[in-house]
Structure formats: C-alpha cells, structure tokens
Amino acid sequence: RGLLLEARRHHRRTLAWVADAGPLRALIAHALQLELARVQRFKLDPLSITVVRLQADASSLAMLNLPADGASPESLVW
C-alpha cells in the first residue's frame, strides 16, 4: 500500500525502489491482479531488475529478471 501511495504522489515520474523478493512479489501481484500465492512461484533472481508500471487504470509488469550485469533491456517499451 505504501508503494502505491508513493507512486500516486509522484504521478508521471519514474521511480526506482530497491526491495527484496517479498515486497516485489506483492507489487507484481497487484500489477497483474493475481493472488499473492500465485506470484510466489515467480523466480526472482538476486540482483536482477524487474520493472512494474503502476497506473491507476492499468498497471503492468514490463520486465522480469533482467540481469543487472549490463544487459540491454531492448525489448522494453516505455
């Protein structure tokens, strides 16, 4: 809930949060409108990058587990 409030406060801005797997899974569950139990099966690699787009009417998961070793997110559409 705190992340969603912060996202609303910074409407139309890009924000970066660093989190471990638990809060990240909760955010993914919200974006995909899934039960948290279903998201527990998602593999989240340590030090990887996951991009969640929070929007009032249509949140989405833009990227999951991009390696943080300099790989290019060329398939991501912002």
Side-chain angles (χ1 to χ4, degrees):
R1 181 163 160 82
L3 291 175
L4 298 177
L5 291 173
E6 196 65 16
R8 282 189 201 119
R9 197 175 105 189
H10 296 284
H11 179 67
R12 295 188 161 272
R13 292 190 178 143
T14 299
L15 301 176
W17 289 299
V18 177
D20 65 3
L24 188 53
R25 281 192 174 96
L27 192 58
I28 292 168
H30 169 79
L32 299 179
Q33 297 180 356
L34 294 173
E35 294 178 14
L36 189 55
R38 294 195 59 197
V39 178
Q40 293 297 340
R41 296 176 182 237
F42 285 32
K43 183 178 184 297
L44 298 175
D45 295 330
L47 302 176
S48 64
I49 298 170
T50 295
V51 177
V52 178
R53 298 181 74 199
L54 295 175
Q55 297 174 324
D57 57 345
S59 294
S60 62
L61 179 63
M63 182 177 301
L64 181 68
N65 274 337
L66 178 72
D69 62 0
S72 172
E74 52 201 38
S75 63
L76 182 61
V77 177
W78 294 97

Short mmCIF file of all heavy atoms in Angstrom, two decimals, residues 8-37:
data_model
loop_
_atom_site.label_atom_id
_atom_site.label_comp_id
_atom_site.label_asym_id
_atom_site.label_seq_id
_atom_site.Cartn_x
_atom_site.Cartn_y
_atom_site.Cartn_z
N ARG A 8 1.41 7.33 -6.55
CA ARG A 8 0.41 8.37 -6.83
C ARG A 8 0.97 9.76 -6.55
O ARG A 8 0.69 10.71 -7.26
CB ARG A 8 -0.84 8.15 -5.97
CG ARG A 8 -1.72 7.06 -6.50
CD ARG A 8 -3.04 7.01 -5.75
NE ARG A 8 -3.62 5.71 -5.94
CZ ARG A 8 -3.88 4.85 -4.98
NH1 ARG A 8 -3.65 5.15 -3.72
NH2 ARG A 8 -4.40 3.67 -5.25
N ARG A 9 1.77 9.85 -5.50
CA ARG A 9 2.36 11.14 -5.13
C ARG A 9 3.32 11.65 -6.20
O ARG A 9 3.47 12.84 -6.40
CB ARG A 9 3.08 10.99 -3.79
CG ARG A 9 3.38 12.32 -3.14
CD ARG A 9 3.98 12.12 -1.81
NE ARG A 9 5.40 12.42 -1.99
CZ ARG A 9 6.32 12.22 -1.09
NH1 ARG A 9 6.02 11.66 0.03
NH2 ARG A 9 7.56 12.54 -1.32
N HIS A 10 3.97 10.73 -6.89
CA HIS A 10 4.94 11.08 -7.94
C HIS A 10 4.38 10.75 -9.32
O HIS A 10 5.08 10.22 -10.18
CB HIS A 10 6.26 10.34 -7.71
CG HIS A 10 6.93 10.74 -6.45
ND1 HIS A 10 7.60 11.93 -6.31
CD2 HIS A 10 7.01 10.12 -5.26
CE1 HIS A 10 8.09 12.02 -5.09
NE2 HIS A 10 7.74 10.93 -4.43
N HIS A 11 3.13 11.07 -9.54
CA HIS A 11 2.43 10.78 -10.79
C HIS A 11 3.25 11.22 -12.01
O HIS A 11 3.80 12.31 -12.02
CB HIS A 11 1.08 11.50 -10.77
CG HIS A 11 0.27 11.31 -12.00
ND1 HIS A 11 -0.25 10.08 -12.34
CD2 HIS A 11 -0.10 12.16 -12.96
CE1 HIS A 11 -0.92 10.20 -13.47
NE2 HIS A 11 -0.84 11.46 -13.87
N ARG A 12 3.33 10.34 -13.00
CA ARG A 12 4.03 10.59 -14.27
C ARG A 12 5.54 10.75 -14.12
O ARG A 12 6.19 11.40 -14.93
CB ARG A 12 3.45 11.79 -15.00
CG ARG A 12 2.03 11.58 -15.45
CD ARG A 12 1.60 12.73 -16.34
NE ARG A 12 0.46 12.37 -17.13
CZ ARG A 12 0.50 11.80 -18.33
NH1 ARG A 12 1.65 11.50 -18.86
NH2 ARG A 12 -0.60 11.52 -18.97
N ARG A 13 6.09 10.19 -13.08
CA ARG A 13 7.54 10.21 -12.90
C ARG A 13 8.05 8.78 -12.81
O ARG A 13 7.32 7.88 -12.43
CB ARG A 13 7.91 10.96 -11.63
CG ARG A 13 7.61 12.43 -11.72
CD ARG A 13 8.21 13.15 -10.56
NE ARG A 13 7.97 14.57 -10.68
CZ ARG A 13 7.71 15.34 -9.66
NH1 ARG A 13 7.67 14.85 -8.44
NH2 ARG A 13 7.51 16.63 -9.84
N THR A 14 9.30 8.60 -13.13
CA THR A 14 9.92 7.29 -12.99
C THR A 14 10.56 7.21 -11.61
O THR A 14 11.35 8.08 -11.25
CB THR A 14 10.99 7.08 -14.08
OG1 THR A 14 10.36 7.16 -15.35
CG2 THR A 14 11.66 5.73 -13.91
N LEU A 15 10.20 6.18 -10.88
CA LEU A 15 10.76 5.97 -9.54
C LEU A 15 11.47 4.63 -9.50
O LEU A 15 11.06 3.69 -10.17
CB LEU A 15 9.66 5.96 -8.49
CG LEU A 15 8.79 7.21 -8.38
CD1 LEU A 15 7.69 6.99 -7.36
CD2 LEU A 15 9.64 8.40 -7.97
N ALA A 16 12.52 4.54 -8.73
CA ALA A 16 13.23 3.27 -8.56
C ALA A 16 13.21 2.90 -7.09
O ALA A 16 13.51 3.73 -6.22
CB ALA A 16 14.66 3.41 -9.04
N TRP A 17 12.81 1.68 -6.81
CA TRP A 17 12.83 1.18 -5.45
C TRP A 17 13.69 -0.07 -5.42
O TRP A 17 13.69 -0.86 -6.35
CB TRP A 17 11.43 0.78 -4.98
CG TRP A 17 10.51 1.92 -4.75
CD1 TRP A 17 10.66 2.94 -3.86
CD2 TRP A 17 9.26 2.17 -5.40
NE1 TRP A 17 9.60 3.80 -3.93
CE2 TRP A 17 8.73 3.34 -4.86
CE3 TRP A 17 8.54 1.51 -6.39
CZ2 TRP A 17 7.51 3.86 -5.27
CZ3 TRP A 17 7.34 2.03 -6.80
CH2 TRP A 17 6.84 3.20 -6.23
N VAL A 18 14.41 -0.23 -4.35
CA VAL A 18 15.21 -1.43 -4.14
C VAL A 18 14.49 -2.25 -3.09
O VAL A 18 14.17 -1.73 -2.02
CB VAL A 18 16.63 -1.07 -3.67
CG1 VAL A 18 17.43 -2.32 -3.39
CG2 VAL A 18 17.33 -0.20 -4.70
N ALA A 19 14.20 -3.49 -3.42
CA ALA A 19 13.44 -4.32 -2.49
C ALA A 19 13.87 -5.77 -2.61
O ALA A 19 14.41 -6.20 -3.63
CB ALA A 19 11.94 -4.21 -2.80
N ASP A 20 13.60 -6.52 -1.54
CA ASP A 20 13.84 -7.95 -1.65
C ASP A 20 12.61 -8.60 -2.28
O ASP A 20 11.66 -7.91 -2.68
CB ASP A 20 14.21 -8.56 -0.30
CG ASP A 20 13.09 -8.51 0.72
OD1 ASP A 20 11.98 -8.05 0.38
OD2 ASP A 20 13.32 -8.93 1.86
N ALA A 21 12.60 -9.89 -2.38
CA ALA A 21 11.58 -10.59 -3.15
C ALA A 21 10.15 -10.43 -2.60
O ALA A 21 9.21 -10.37 -3.38
CB ALA A 21 11.93 -12.07 -3.24
N GLY A 22 9.98 -10.34 -1.30
CA GLY A 22 8.63 -10.27 -0.72
C GLY A 22 7.83 -9.05 -1.18
O GLY A 22 6.76 -9.21 -1.79
N PRO A 23 8.31 -7.83 -0.94
CA PRO A 23 7.58 -6.66 -1.41
C PRO A 23 7.46 -6.61 -2.93
O PRO A 23 6.46 -6.16 -3.46
CB PRO A 23 8.40 -5.48 -0.89
CG PRO A 23 9.19 -6.02 0.24
CD PRO A 23 9.45 -7.47 -0.09
N LEU A 24 8.48 -7.08 -3.62
CA LEU A 24 8.43 -7.08 -5.07
C LEU A 24 7.33 -8.01 -5.58
O LEU A 24 6.58 -7.68 -6.49
CB LEU A 24 9.78 -7.50 -5.64
CG LEU A 24 9.96 -7.37 -7.15
CD1 LEU A 24 9.60 -5.98 -7.63
CD2 LEU A 24 11.37 -7.72 -7.54
N ARG A 25 7.19 -9.17 -4.96
CA ARG A 25 6.11 -10.10 -5.34
C ARG A 25 4.74 -9.47 -5.08
O ARG A 25 3.82 -9.66 -5.86
CB ARG A 25 6.25 -11.41 -4.61
CG ARG A 25 7.30 -12.31 -5.20
CD ARG A 25 7.23 -13.72 -4.63
NE ARG A 25 8.16 -14.57 -5.33
CZ ARG A 25 9.38 -14.86 -4.91
NH1 ARG A 25 9.82 -14.37 -3.77
NH2 ARG A 25 10.17 -15.64 -5.61
N ALA A 26 4.61 -8.75 -3.98
CA ALA A 26 3.33 -8.09 -3.69
C ALA A 26 3.01 -7.05 -4.75
O ALA A 26 1.86 -6.93 -5.19
CB ALA A 26 3.38 -7.44 -2.31
N LEU A 27 4.00 -6.31 -5.20
CA LEU A 27 3.80 -5.31 -6.24
C LEU A 27 3.44 -5.97 -7.58
O LEU A 27 2.55 -5.51 -8.29
CB LEU A 27 5.08 -4.48 -6.39
CG LEU A 27 5.02 -3.22 -7.21
CD1 LEU A 27 3.97 -2.26 -6.66
CD2 LEU A 27 6.38 -2.55 -7.20
N ILE A 28 4.09 -7.07 -7.90
CA ILE A 28 3.78 -7.81 -9.13
C ILE A 28 2.37 -8.36 -9.06
O ILE A 28 1.61 -8.29 -10.04
CB ILE A 28 4.81 -8.94 -9.36
CG1 ILE A 28 6.18 -8.34 -9.68
CG2 ILE A 28 4.35 -9.87 -10.47
CD1 ILE A 28 7.31 -9.35 -9.65
N ALA A 29 1.98 -8.91 -7.91
CA ALA A 29 0.62 -9.44 -7.74
C ALA A 29 -0.41 -8.34 -7.96
O ALA A 29 -1.42 -8.55 -8.63
CB ALA A 29 0.47 -10.06 -6.36
N HIS A 30 -0.14 -7.17 -7.44
CA HIS A 30 -1.06 -6.04 -7.64
C HIS A 30 -1.16 -5.68 -9.12
O HIS A 30 -2.25 -5.51 -9.66
CB HIS A 30 -0.61 -4.83 -6.83
CG HIS A 30 -1.35 -3.58 -7.19
ND1 HIS A 30 -2.60 -3.32 -6.72
CD2 HIS A 30 -1.00 -2.56 -8.00
CE1 HIS A 30 -3.01 -2.17 -7.22
NE2 HIS A 30 -2.06 -1.69 -8.00
N ALA A 31 -0.01 -5.56 -9.77
CA ALA A 31 0.00 -5.14 -11.18
C ALA A 31 -0.70 -6.14 -12.08
O ALA A 31 -1.39 -5.76 -13.02
CB ALA A 31 1.44 -4.94 -11.64
N LEU A 32 -0.54 -7.42 -11.79
CA LEU A 32 -1.13 -8.47 -12.63
C LEU A 32 -2.50 -8.93 -12.14
O LEU A 32 -3.10 -9.81 -12.73
CB LEU A 32 -0.18 -9.67 -12.73
CG LEU A 32 1.18 -9.38 -13.36
CD1 LEU A 32 2.03 -10.64 -13.37
CD2 LEU A 32 1.03 -8.81 -14.75
N GLN A 33 -2.95 -8.35 -11.04
CA GLN A 33 -4.23 -8.71 -10.42
C GLN A 33 -4.30 -10.22 -10.15
O GLN A 33 -5.27 -10.90 -10.49
CB GLN A 33 -5.39 -8.26 -11.29
CG GLN A 33 -5.44 -6.76 -11.44
CD GLN A 33 -6.59 -6.28 -12.29
OE1 GLN A 33 -7.35 -7.07 -12.86
NE2 GLN A 33 -6.74 -4.98 -12.38
N LEU A 34 -3.24 -10.72 -9.53
CA LEU A 34 -3.15 -12.12 -9.14
C LEU A 34 -3.11 -12.24 -7.63
O LEU A 34 -2.71 -11.30 -6.94
CB LEU A 34 -1.87 -12.75 -9.70
CG LEU A 34 -1.75 -12.87 -11.21
CD1 LEU A 34 -0.35 -13.36 -11.58
CD2 LEU A 34 -2.80 -13.82 -11.75
N GLU A 35 -3.49 -13.40 -7.13
CA GLU A 35 -3.34 -13.66 -5.70
C GLU A 35 -1.85 -13.81 -5.41
O GLU A 35 -1.09 -14.33 -6.23
CB GLU A 35 -4.07 -14.95 -5.33
CG GLU A 35 -5.57 -14.87 -5.48
CD GLU A 35 -6.25 -16.17 -5.13
OE1 GLU A 35 -5.60 -17.06 -4.53
OE2 GLU A 35 -7.42 -16.32 -5.48
N LEU A 36 -1.46 -13.36 -4.23
CA LEU A 36 -0.05 -13.42 -3.86
C LEU A 36 0.49 -14.85 -3.91
O LEU A 36 1.63 -15.07 -4.30
CB LEU A 36 0.15 -12.82 -2.46
CG LEU A 36 1.59 -12.61 -2.01
CD1 LEU A 36 2.37 -11.77 -3.02
CD2 LEU A 36 1.62 -11.95 -0.65
N ALA A 37 -0.33 -15.82 -3.58
CA ALA A 37 0.10 -17.22 -3.61
C ALA A 37 0.54 -17.64 -5.01
O ALA A 37 1.47 -18.44 -5.16
CB ALA A 37 -1.03 -18.12 -3.12
#
